[in-house]
């Protein structure tokens, strides 16, 4: 009896490599097309990166903290956390008993996709200097100094559980204000969907910065259309080539640093006048998030739909902040959140893009500080 002509394991491996090579080449061609479209700007980009800037000496990623710890999430991920304790004395005329009866809320910051806790650099710096609130920051799963999920894809439900784990470990009692940027805002919505009982008794206020409650698949995460089509290929590409294939793509990302810098400025900021040191810092955060992690998040972000979860926030104070040039989560998404929440207010940051909190930090920090003051009885 003739044996069937089955492909060998080696042949299958070669097929996967060829497929990865074809997709990788297509991504390369797409990137080359974008590069060609901005070729006249690249010399300017290089000069800008080398130029003196107001923020050249800013200690990005090196702010002090009082305590750091690792919190193990329900999904087995080690979450890196930093805590800054309040330092200001009691307000004039306030007794210790009164202060204990009406404590200031702890502020928990939740960052966005392909970033880390450093996104809140300016808010952390200035609120810590004011010394009136306890601040908690952490790196989301697969980002910054937190560990990665060993197998499978990331989900927003998972991120909501991780946020709950951080709260349990760092703020066991007392009021809380949650501040979420981009995917961080979606994480807060996922927590509200799973635990609506927390919002009101514990979570007394929420700040949404440049975020959305759904329909993200319609805006392609801000990528140019030619690259957006290939972003959908990342999940099957990584699943067939594994981490080795992701490593090849990561190497290509590093090799195209000028293009990455330019795309960061173009799609993360509202103006080409953004400080080069600031653009470089955001680019470094993006670059530290591996392609393996990026691929395993894409489906969760495209499928994000949390409008019903906003019901849990109807009775608490909510502040939405968004730049009017945000291409990743456009202003209309923040306006829709405010439309659904009767106690929500909106701050629009003129000429700001997706990282408005870094591009125009004074406007964003002042809005948050005022929001925190209004929560005090």
């Amino acid at each position: 009896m003739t044996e069937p002509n089955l492909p060998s394991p080696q042949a299958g491996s070669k097929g996967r490599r060829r497929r990865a090579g074809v997709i990788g080449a297509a991504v390369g061609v797409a990137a080359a097309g974008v590069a060609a479209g901005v070729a006249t700007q690249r010399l300017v980009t290089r000069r800008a990166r080398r130029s003196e800037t107001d923020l050249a000496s800013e200690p990005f990623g090196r702010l002090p903290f009082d305590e750091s710890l690792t919190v193990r999430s329900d999904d087995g991920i080690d979450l890196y956390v930093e805590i800054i304790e309040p330092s200001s004395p009691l307000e004039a005329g306030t007794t210790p008993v009164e202060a204990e009866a009406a404590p200031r809320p702890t502020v928990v910051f939740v960052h966005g996709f392909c970033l880390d806790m450093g996104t809140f650099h300016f808010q952390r710096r200035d609120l810590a200097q004011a010394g009136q609130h306890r601040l908690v920051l952490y790196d989301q799963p697969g980002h910054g100094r937190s560990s990665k999920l060993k197998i499978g894809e990331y989900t927003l439900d998972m991120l909501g559980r991780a946020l709950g784990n951080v709260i349990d470990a760092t703020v066991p009692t007392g009021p809380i204000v949650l501040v979420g940027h981009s995917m961080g805002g979606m994480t807060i919505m996922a927590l509200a969907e799973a635990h609506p009982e927390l919002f009101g008794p514990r979570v007394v206020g929420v700040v949404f910065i440049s975020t959305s409650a759904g329909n993200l698949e319609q805006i392609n995460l801000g990528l140019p259309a030619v690259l957006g089509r290939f972003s959908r290929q990342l999940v099957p590409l990584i699943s067939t080539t594994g981490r080795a294939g992701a490593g090849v793509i990561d190497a290509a990302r590093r090799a195209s640093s000028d293009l990455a810098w330019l795309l960061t400025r173009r799609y993360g900021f509202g103006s080409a006048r953004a400080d080069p040191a600031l653009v470089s810092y955001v680019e470094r955060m993006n670059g530290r998030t591996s392609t393996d992690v990026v691929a395993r998040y894409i489906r969760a972000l495209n499928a994000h739909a949390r409008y019903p979860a906003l019901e849990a926030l109807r009775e608490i104070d909510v502040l939405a902040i968004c730049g009017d040039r945000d291409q990743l989560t456009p202003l209309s998404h923040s306006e829709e959140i405010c439309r659904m929440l009767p106690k929500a207010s909106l701050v629009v940051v003129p000429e700001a893009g997706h990282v408005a909190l870094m591009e125009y930090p004074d406007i964003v920090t002042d809005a948050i500080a005022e929001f925190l003051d209004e929560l005090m009885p």
Side-chain angles (χ1 to χ4, degrees):
M1 183 174 181
T2 304
E3 291 292 330
N5 188 19
L6 296 175
S8 68
Q10 290 81 4
S13 177
K14 290 178 181 177
R16 286 192 294 271
R17 285 198 297 270
R18 282 196 298 269
R19 185 161 57 252
V22 169
I23 296 175
V27 173
V29 169
V34 174
V38 297
T40 57
Q41 301 181 49
R42 294 192 67 174
L43 180 58
V44 176
T45 298
R46 290 172 179 170
R47 289 174 178 171
R49 294 180 73 171
R50 292 194 297 266
S51 66
E52 293 184 6
T53 76
D54 293 337
L55 296 175
S57 60
E58 186 68 25
F60 291 119
R62 304 192 306 274
L63 291 177
F65 52 87
D66 294 297
E67 180 184 1
S68 67
L69 66 152
T70 299
V71 174
R72 175 60 66 92
S73 78
D74 290 344
D75 297 282
I77 298 170
D78 291 330
L79 304 166
Y80 178 76
V81 182
E82 291 182 357
I83 300 173
I84 300 93
E85 298 292 348
S87 59
S88 66
L90 296 175
E91 295 180 5
T94 302
T95 67
V97 173
E98 290 172 333
E100 185 176 350
R104 290 184 177 273
T106 295
V107 185
V108 180
F109 294 88
V110 194
H111 71 79
F113 183 49
C114 287
L115 300 168
D116 60 39
M117 67 171 69
T119 316
F120 298 104
H121 174 88
F122 297 106
Q123 291 70 43
R124 168 180 175 166
R125 182 195 68 184
D126 295 346
L127 291 176
Q129 288 176 355
Q132 296 180 332
H133 292 273
R134 185 168 181 260
L135 311 178
V136 175
L137 302 97
Y138 74 102
D139 290 335
Q140 293 247 51
H143 293 73
R145 284 164 283 188
S146 292
S147 68
K148 301 177 183 179
L149 185 67
K150 291 184 178 179
I151 59 172
E153 294 183 19
Y154 296 89
T155 68
L156 283 166
D157 291 341
M158 177 190 302
L159 302 191
R161 289 192 294 272
L163 172 56
N165 296 142
V166 170
I167 290 173
D168 290 342
T170 63
V171 201
T173 61
I176 301 167
V177 169
L178 299 176
V179 180
H181 171 249
S182 191
M183 187 179 73
M186 303 172 204
T187 300
I188 294 170
M189 295 176 204
L191 177 66
E193 184 176 60
H195 296 286
E197 72 280 0
L198 289 176
F199 291 77
R202 292 295 314 282
V203 179
V204 297
V206 170
V207 179
F208 289 130
I209 306 174
S210 305
T211 194
S212 171
N215 297 323
L216 283 173
E217 75 284 351
Q218 298 178 6
I219 55 176
N220 249 345
L221 297 179
L223 290 171
V226 67
L227 287 181
R229 289 196 299 272
F230 290 107
S231 72
R232 299 188 185 95
Q233 301 294 331
L234 279 173
V235 174
L237 172 61
I238 299 303
S239 66
T240 57
T241 65
R243 294 182 179 177
V248 171
I249 298 174
D250 285 333
R253 289 166 66 191
R254 289 190 294 271
S256 304
S257 60
D258 280 342
L259 179 58
W261 193 92
L262 185 60
L263 291 174
T264 298
R265 187 179 70 175
R266 183 171 178 179
Y267 292 97
F269 293 81
S271 169
R273 299 188 304 273
D275 191 293
L278 188 58
V279 178
S280 294
Y281 180 56
V282 175
E283 181 207 350
R284 289 196 299 273
M285 284 192 283
N286 281 319
R288 285 195 294 265
T289 309
S290 70
T291 300
D292 170 60
V293 170
V294 171
R296 293 195 284 156
Y297 263 105
I298 286 178
R299 200 190 314 272
L301 295 177
N302 282 341
H304 169 60
R306 291 293 188 288
Y307 286 106
L310 296 177
E311 184 67 25
L313 281 64
R314 287 182 61 84
E315 302 303 319
I316 68 171
D317 291 308
V318 173
L319 172 64
I321 304 172
C322 190
D324 63 1
R325 296 183 181 179
D326 189 335
Q327 299 182 68
L328 276 72
T329 51
L331 178 59
S332 59
H333 289 241
S334 292
E335 291 172 337
E336 181 65 11
I337 290 172
C338 290
R339 188 188 68 78
M340 299 184 67
L341 298 175
K343 299 183 71 175
S345 58
L346 175 64
V347 171
V348 179
V349 186
E351 299 185 0
H354 191 60
V355 289
L357 69 172
M358 305 192 79
E359 192 173 9
Y360 293 95
D362 291 346
I363 295 175
V364 174
T365 305
D366 288 349
I368 294 173
E370 183 177 345
F371 179 75
L372 293 171
D373 287 342
E374 291 174 352
L375 289 177
M376 295 303 296

